[in-house]
Amino acid sequence: MISSGDLDFLQDLAGAVVESSRVRQGESIGQFGPNITGKKLIRPGGRNCYPAFWIRDFAMSLESGLISREEQLDALLLTAEHQAIIDWHTPSGSFVPRGAIADHISFDGKPIFFPGTIDDYEGQGGNKWGYLPSLDDHFYFIEMAWHLIIPGNDKRLLELTIKGISLAERLEAAFAVPPTDADGILVCCDEANRGVSFGFSDSITHTGNLLFCSLLRCRAARQLGEIFRVKGDYDKSESYKHIASRISENIPQVFSNADGLLCSSTGKSSQPDVWGSAFAVYSELLLESVSVVVSKALTQALEHGTIAWKGNIRHVPEDADFNAATAWEIASTAKNTYQNGAYWGTATGWVAYAVTQVNEVLAADLIREYIKELREGDFRQGAEFGSPWECIHYDGDYKQNPVYMTSVTCPLIAFRRLYSIRLKILT
């Protein structure tokens, strides 16, 4: 699937990217800074991109093993300190409910709950970015805590109080923020109470039941089940495990598409979702029979050349674009740029893992193409090189944001799992 040499190369590159993403106390990035949060921050990438601490990118990279426990604890406490403790309305008309988790935190310690601005606290929100804060960060906050609590059964951390509120209470408050359907199972929104389903599609308008955020809710419920088991609260543990089971059962009933992929939503921009489908398989959030169907659909799309280029992954299959002018139904960027049709490395590992269940040779080819692009464009070769890029496209050799962290940390995590599985089979 992946050679030990390629895995070592990716490990070294990912380590260099994470180091480039660190912003120590007193440091600035371009015109932003200095960092006066009192914490060493890890932003989404190196060089001058994304000069702030983003919760989701950090959480998505934790399993890489490249972020120390001290850095994890600092990030968890910083996020908790900036959790909304009262309801408030932004001047733009958006609403931040009690328990809300910031989308990102600026170098001067401002919680920014909506995409669209780096550090404009008063100007954040507005119709374009949703009425509610980004919904996914609430579940990534829980994942950050899970990575610290579960490995050592550290229930003391749950009793830690941040500004008078225990971490356990804060986790439950965060879980309750994203709106759900009438049955209280899937994350759901309409135009009036819209929030971003997943930050890697925050420039896209999704409404109805939301696939990716529902998958994150499922995983967070499982994690809370484990967290409250460690705490000794077995009733809550079982309650959250039950929520996770209900979500898993409902996903295929609500989001299944005729081609086997899962749709991104049931309202606006409801096209087949490559990332969401692959993540559902990779995270083992589906019943086995459903996972097989989704994996076969991803394999077929990869064979047809509609979802990958240079080992990077598109959000929507090319043959499922909404029309000739846009990949998604409602997007704020031009077609084949950014989240509206460009190819990203973040999801490569998820797709490779799912395709491996059906066609190992095809998955190995995808991994080789991904590694080849990284070797050729490795940012360590000089300023004119930028891999790993945030996203790329063959139209005009489009590239955006060099030295992007999840473009290597997420695949590294997935490839390690595949490598470990292969070793176990061979031995």
Side-chain angles (χ1 to χ4, degrees), residues 82-126:
H82 290 89
Q83 184 177 18
I85 58 174
I86 59 171
D87 295 346
W88 63 280
H89 287 86
T90 69
S92 65
S94 293
F95 176 61
V96 179
R98 178 189 176 277
I101 298 298
D103 180 70
H104 58 280
I105 298 168
S106 67
F107 291 159
D108 57 354
K110 296 174 184 172
I112 307 298
F113 292 88
F114 300 85
T117 181
I118 298 294
D119 60 358
D120 185 357
Y121 184 80
E122 293 298 326
Q124 65 178 301

Side-chain angles (χ1 to χ4, degrees), residues 4 10 21 23 96 111 123 160 205 219 225 255 302 304 338 346 349 401 412:
S4 60
L10 185 57
S21 304
V23 183
V96 179
L160 185 66
T205 296
R219 190 174 63 173
F255 297 105
L302 188 59
H304 291 171
Y338 197 40
T346 298
N401 286 327
L412 174 64

Side-chain angles (χ1 to χ4, degrees), residues 205-325:
T205 296
H206 288 103
T207 61
N209 291 312
L210 306 175
L211 172 63
F212 212 105
C213 206
S214 294
L215 293 171
L216 293 175
R217 186 173 193 259
C218 182
R219 190 174 63 173
R222 288 182 180 178
Q223 291 169 339
L224 283 175
E226 295 181 42
I227 286 170
F228 279 103
R229 175 186 53 77
V230 168
K231 191 174 186 293
D233 191 333
Y234 300 109
D235 288 341
K236 278 188 179 179
S237 176
E238 289 301 314
S239 176
Y240 281 113
K241 287 163 61 178
H242 178 68
I243 291 172
S245 295
R246 292 287 306 280
I247 297 172
S248 180
E249 293 166 359
N250 275 260
I251 291 291
Q253 299 173 22
V254 174
F255 297 105
S256 288
N257 188 54
D259 67 2
L261 294 178
L262 300 172
C263 290
S264 61
S265 64
T266 58
K268 299 295 185 182
S269 299
S270 60
Q271 286 98 302
D273 186 343
V274 176
W275 287 38
S277 298
F279 181 76
V281 174
Y282 172 75
S283 301
E284 300 178 340
L285 300 175
L286 304 173
L287 300 176
E288 185 175 354
S289 59
V290 180
S291 182
V292 169
V293 171
V294 175
S295 295
K296 287 181 178 178
L298 286 165
T299 301
Q300 186 175 49
L302 188 59
E303 287 174 334
H304 291 171
T306 61
I307 63 172
W309 181 62
K310 291 190 174 182
N312 285 235
I313 304 298
R314 209 170 187 259
H315 288 80
V316 180
E318 287 188 339
D319 55 1
D321 284 352
F322 185 73
N323 58 35

